[in-house]
Amino acid sequence: GLEQGLEQGLEQGRQQGQASLLLKLLSLRFGELSAETKARVQAADEEALERLSERVITASTLSGVFDDS
C-alpha cells in the first residue's frame, strides 16, 4: 500500500534526476539537444539511463551515445 507507493515515488524521482543530469551532460558535451533526443532520454528506464550516462564519457558523437551496436 503506502510503502509501495512511496518506493515507486522515490524510484521515479531518482529516474527523473538521472535523466535531468544526463540531459545536462549531453548538452554540455554535444551542444543543443533536439526534442527527439530529450524525449528519448526522458523515456529511458533506469538501466538505459545508466548505460547512456557511461557513454557520454566514451562516445565521440551524440549518435554514438545512443548506438547499441
Side-chain angles (χ1 to χ4, degrees):
L2 178 62
E3 189 173 316
Q4 183 180 0
L6 286 172
E7 183 59 38
Q8 285 178 330
L10 288 172
E11 187 174 323
Q12 284 180 330
R14 281 192 301 269
Q15 200 165 330
Q16 288 173 345
Q18 222 176 342
S20 180
L21 179 58
L22 177 56
L23 288 169
K24 175 115 176 132
L25 293 172
L26 287 169
S27 65
L28 286 170
R29 178 106 196 257
F30 301 110
E32 191 170 339
L33 304 174
S34 69
E36 180 185 339
T37 298
K38 292 176 185 178
R40 281 182 78 176
V41 170
Q42 291 167 338
D45 62 22
E46 200 168 344
E47 185 179 307
L49 288 170
E50 193 163 318
R51 187 173 60 249
L52 294 171
S53 296
E54 292 169 356
R55 290 183 189 163
V56 168
I57 297 168
T58 59
S60 56
T61 63
L62 181 59
S63 61
V65 174
F66 293 94
D67 184 12
D68 284 328
S69 61

